[in-house]
Every structure is written in C-alpha cells, then in structure tokens.
Amino acid sequence: MTLKSPELLLPAGSLEKMRAAYDFGADAVYAGQPRYSLRARNNEFRLEQIAQGINEAHARGKKFFVTSNLIAHNDKVRTYLRDIEPVIACQPDAFIMADPGLIMMVKEKWPETEIHLSVQANTTNYATVKFWQKAGVSRIILSRELSLDEIEKIRQECPDMELEVFVHGALCIAYSGRCLLSGYFNRRDPNQGTCTNACRWNYATHEADVDPNTGEAMAARMEGGFNFNQAQEEGNTAFASCGGGARHPLADKVYLLEEKERPGQLMPIMEDEHGTYIMNSKDLRAVEHVQRLVQIGVDSLKIEGRTKSQYYVSRTAQIYRRAIDDAVAGRPFNPELITELEGLSNRGYTPGFLERRPANDYQNYETGSSEARRSQFVGEVKAVQDGWAEVETKNRFDVGDRLEIIHPQGNRVVRLERMRGLDGAELQFASGSPLRVRIPLGGPAEGALIAKLL
C-alpha cells in the first residue's frame, strides 16, 4: 500500500519565521488575523504582512492559513465581517475558525471560503466531525485529548473529511481555550487571544484547616514547604491501608495555593497530590508516533508555537519533515530525532493523550520555564564573505565550543577555532544579544542558525 504524505504545518509568528518554516520543510504555515486569533498579544502579522506572506507562499508552491479562532463576544461579532473582508481578498488557502456563528456568517457571505475547524472547538468524536462537514467545514483539527485509536476510529467513520492532528508544542491544562485562570487573575480571557499562561506560574502550597462554623479554609503554613514526593508516598501508604469501603484519609484534606507574585492571596483547593507547578503541563512530543498517524491517514500534522523562536520553527520543521519522509518511505523510526528535539527549550516531553498514561506523567512539577537540555540557540548567520560568516548573537558562545550549523541543505558540527569583531579584533567569546561577530564557516552558511552543543 502506498502511504500518502501528510501536510507538515508550522506556526508563523512573523514573515521571517514563515520563511524559515518553508526553508526547513514545511508544506504550510498558519498566522493569526489581528484581533481575532488566540495569539492576539503576540502577533506580528497585520493585513500588509498577511498579504505578503500569502504571495510568498504561493510563489513557492506552499500554503498559508489564517487563524481567526477566537470565541467572539457581541462587540467582535459586530465588526467581524468588516475586518475579515480584506483578508479574504488576499486569498489565503483557508481560515482556521472555532466560533459557530462566525463560521455561519462567513459561509453565508463567501460560500467558497475554505474553513478549517480550530482545535478550540474541541472535536472529540466522529459524530461532531460529520456535523461540521454538513456545515461546510473542509477540515477538522482534532482535539488534543484523543488517543491514537480514537483518531483512527474517526478516520474510519469519516473517510472523506480532512483531519489535522497536533504533534508538537505546548499543552493546555484544560480543553483548549477553556481555562479560566488567566481571566480570573488578569481579566485576560484565553479564548479572546490574551492568555497569560497562569498555569505556568509558581504556586506555593499551604496546609489548611476548615472552620466548622463558617466552612472557611484557614491557612497554616507547612514547616519546610511542601514535598510532593513525600506527600505522594504518604498518600499511597495511607490508601493501601484503608479497605473495605474505608474513606481515604486525605479525602477531606484542604490545601491553599499562593501564587509567587501575589503573597497573602490564598486560594483553597481540594487535592491529594501537589507540586510546586501543579498546573504546568509538559510539552507535547509525538515524533515517535508520526508513523502511526501516517498509517491512519491523517491529512495534516501540526506544530504549535506562534510565539516561539525562529530556531524552534526551523528545528521542528526539519525534524518532523524527516520523520514524515521516513514513515512514507517505510523506513523504521529514527530515535535520533527524539535526541535532537531535546536540544529545544522544553518543559519536559509527553505524548499527551495519544498514549494512555497515569495523569502525573503529563505534569512537570519542577519548573514553569523551558530549559534547553542538549543545545542552546546562540546565533543566526546574516551574511557570508570570504569564508567568514557574520553572526547576530542570541546567547553566549566561546572559542573552543562545539557548534551545530543548522541549514536547509543539511546540518554539521564544527569546533569554533576563531572569532572576530566587526572591527577585525580577535575575540575569545561573544557575550550574547545584541552583538554581531564574524566566525569562519566552510560549506553552506547563508541564513544558517547556530546552536552550541551542551
């Protein structure tokens, strides 16, 4: 059986990132419509950039999708058709939308417009896929909460509908766009494009007693702080000791959360397992499942990250391109791809719901920030002359470091022997952004990205 190669879909937070995605293997990109996408706060695309991006994409034989997937309140419904009309005139390949009313309005006025249903619509079953198909939607971006077997079942029940699946990037602690934390703390609603990622913040945990008269949780700070591993072990021991219908000794326990930047504001929670970053999901990584998704017949594999760096876009495009090409050619999965993804900043990786695992496998209890575990992005080549590359630095690197030169024609590792300033003076290190230095680089280097191997 000949396997169809799925589309590789990358995020584009800017024109530069769009070009990098295409250079390193993407078939299509998605960029946000101003005011109406879920990355409204971090979006360099305005109408002019959208038009330019679409023209460049089509000139390269690539696709360009416009994300317009907020859940609209009345004030944005009122202005929506007016604001989307000039974007439609730019002729993107599709709009990614979630709001049923906005989809209806667009299809009524521009019936030929291709619409992909956003993951924000939380499609988890084949009946819902068939409903949207009748509404004129041409592709469904399936919910991240599905297993591989559930995706396969939807493909079997809906053979003539395009299906898209996320394979890499940040995970939400709720069904996409349904989290209330950001709205509660900052009055910035996730499904309005203004999420502040409150789930990544640092929360301290406090033991509490409940006032029997008022029911109010009263704080009692834990001596020495909260130890997740110790609490988990104690909870498991206590649970094993209660049987015959006995109540779990922690079932009535009340805890209070205190966010780092809001001292004294204690919020009651009911839990029996906690960590410092109890709501901080690991990042999705499904490169090892690309082969199965190709065999299922998924039409598009999507990478999250419109706010991520050009380095992230280039590396994920390159790695998932290789995984797709290997799967279609029938080659076995190359585990080196997993190692290469460790070079990207991440919060720890999980296959998410594609595989069924215990809930604590999805959570990162140690840190809310991303960490580079194998390599660090240190520079971008801006020009090459007489064998010397002019590099715009991003992080520190030194003479003697091993550098990986990441280029669409292939990657290579070199040891840095010399470095000069733009004035020709010899340097022993580049301190980081914003700085430009020259280093000797043989082979393809124009437009290359540079990572320091750790």
Side-chain angles (χ1 to χ4, degrees):
M1 179 181 69
T2 302
L3 296 175
K4 180 183 70 174
S5 181
E7 168 189 277
L8 178 57
L9 178 57
L10 267 291
S14 67
L15 288 170
E16 290 74 21
K17 294 173 188 177
M18 175 199 76
R19 295 169 188 137
Y22 291 145
D23 288 344
F24 283 89
D27 301 300
V29 302
Y30 58 101
Q33 181 189 3
R35 289 192 72 221
Y36 300 99
S37 83
L38 292 200
R39 291 294 180 270
R41 294 188 305 120
N42 306 96
N43 182 19
E44 294 185 23
F45 279 90
R46 298 296 179 263
L47 182 61
E48 180 182 351
Q49 286 79 23
I50 288 174
Q52 183 177 345
I54 292 169
N55 290 335
E56 288 188 25
H58 292 171
R60 299 175 67 150
K62 306 286 188 176
K63 292 185 176 182
F64 188 106
F65 305 139
V66 174
T67 302
S68 186
N69 61 342
L70 91 168
I71 304 299
H73 289 232
N74 287 330
D75 62 332
K76 288 187 177 176
V77 173
R78 179 176 53 82
T79 60
Y80 189 73
L81 292 183
R82 178 199 70 193
D83 290 344
I84 202 172
E85 185 166 12
V87 184
I88 288 178
C90 296
Q91 297 183 315
D93 294 280
F95 284 90
I96 299 172
M97 302 179 66
D99 190 293
L102 299 185
I103 292 172
M104 176 189 69
M105 292 164 62
V106 169
K107 293 300 284 186
E108 285 178 349
K109 188 166 185 179
W110 298 283
E112 299 305 314
T113 300
E114 186 165 335
I115 294 175
H116 297 172
L117 188 70
S118 171
V119 72
Q120 300 300 312
N122 308 129
T123 303
T124 57
N125 63 78
Y126 60 82
T128 303
V129 173
K130 292 179 178 180
F131 168 85
W132 285 110
Q133 188 171 21
K134 289 183 178 180
V137 171
S138 58
R139 177 186 293 185
I140 303 294
I141 305 169
L142 293 174
S143 174
R144 293 182 178 94
E145 288 72 32
L146 294 176
S147 68
L148 289 165
D149 289 342
E150 288 175 307
I151 294 170
E152 185 170 26
K153 178 65 173 178
I154 290 173
R155 166 48 74 218
Q156 293 168 351
E157 295 290 335
C158 308
D160 54 348
M161 171 59 90
E162 289 188 18
L163 300 179
E164 183 174 305
V165 172
F166 275 93
V167 292
H168 198 91
L171 289 172
C172 187
I173 64 161
Y175 278 89
S176 296
R178 309 289 179 175
C179 175
L180 301 177
L181 289 176
S182 180
Y184 178 81
F185 285 124
N186 300 94
R187 298 186 180 181
R188 293 182 178 179
D189 295 332
N191 60 21
Q192 296 294 298
T194 55
C195 181
T196 54
N197 298 114
C199 58
R200 311 290 189 200
W201 297 348
N202 185 345
Y203 295 87
T205 316
H206 303 272
E207 204 166 39
D209 295 318
V210 178
D211 188 317
N213 298 316
T214 65
E216 182 180 359
M218 308 298 292
R221 182 176 293 273
M222 297 181 186
E223 294 296 328
F226 187 86
N227 185 312
F228 171 75
N229 292 325
Q230 178 182 341
Q232 186 177 44
E233 183 176 343
E234 291 174 356
N236 289 339
T237 302
F239 184 79
S241 66
C242 65
R247 188 169 177 80
H248 192 298
L250 297 181
D252 296 320
K253 202 67 179 168
V254 178
Y255 294 94
L256 298 172
L257 284 184
E258 180 184 28
E259 202 277 315
K260 180 180 180 182
E261 302 300 326
R262 293 166 174 77
Q265 297 183 26
L266 304 182
M267 299 166 287
I269 57 170
M270 301 291 290
E271 289 284 349
D272 62 5
E273 292 179 350
H274 310 280
T276 305
Y277 294 88
I278 68 166
M279 293 172 285
N280 181 38
S281 172
K282 294 180 180 179
D283 289 341
L284 173 66
R285 184 201 67 207
V287 68
E288 61 268 46
H289 297 299
V290 165
Q291 189 171 52
R292 174 80 186 278
L293 291 166
V294 169
Q295 292 169 345
I296 288 172
V298 171
D299 298 278
S300 180
L301 303 183
K302 186 172 192 174
I303 292 172
E304 182 275 339
R306 274 178 285 160
T307 63
K308 299 289 182 68
S309 69
Q310 184 174 333
Y311 176 65
Y312 171 92
V313 170
S314 302
R315 289 291 264 171
T316 53
Q318 185 182 61
I319 292 166
Y320 279 87
R321 176 81 273 157
R322 287 162 56 192
I324 290 171
D325 292 346
D326 285 347
V328 172
R331 293 187 288 268
F333 173 68
N334 181 359
E336 290 182 5
L337 300 181
I338 292 178
T339 304
E340 291 184 26
L341 286 171
E342 288 292 340
L344 295 173
S345 294
N346 64 84
R347 298 179 179 87
Y349 285 126
T350 174
F353 293 90
L354 294 173
E355 292 181 342
R356 293 304 184 191
R357 293 180 180 273
N360 61 350
D361 281 1
Y362 303 137
Q363 297 302 116
N364 174 8
Y365 296 103
E366 305 301 325
T367 175
S369 59
S370 296
E371 297 180 358
R373 306 180 193 279
R374 179 176 174 268
S375 61
Q376 184 179 41
F377 180 36
V378 295
E380 181 181 348
V381 176
K382 294 297 186 180
V384 178
Q385 185 175 6
D386 300 328
W388 286 78
E390 182 176 322
V391 178
E392 182 177 273
T393 64
K394 304 297 182 181
N395 287 290
R396 175 173 172 146
F397 60 101
D398 297 61
V399 171
D401 284 342
R402 292 174 65 239
L403 303 179
E404 184 174 17
I405 312 305
I406 301 153
H407 194 274
Q409 295 183 26
N411 301 350
R412 62 190 187 279
V413 175
V414 301
R415 187 170 295 280
L416 182 59
E417 303 293 344
R418 297 178 64 189
M419 187 189 312
R420 294 175 178 170
L422 295 187
D423 60 0
E426 293 287 333
L427 301 174
Q428 290 302 306
F429 65 90
S431 58
S433 180
L435 181 68
R436 291 207 178 194
V437 298
R438 291 192 175 100
I439 62 175
L441 284 182
E446 189 76 47
L449 304 176
I450 302 175
K452 177 175 68 175
L453 299 182
L454 303 178

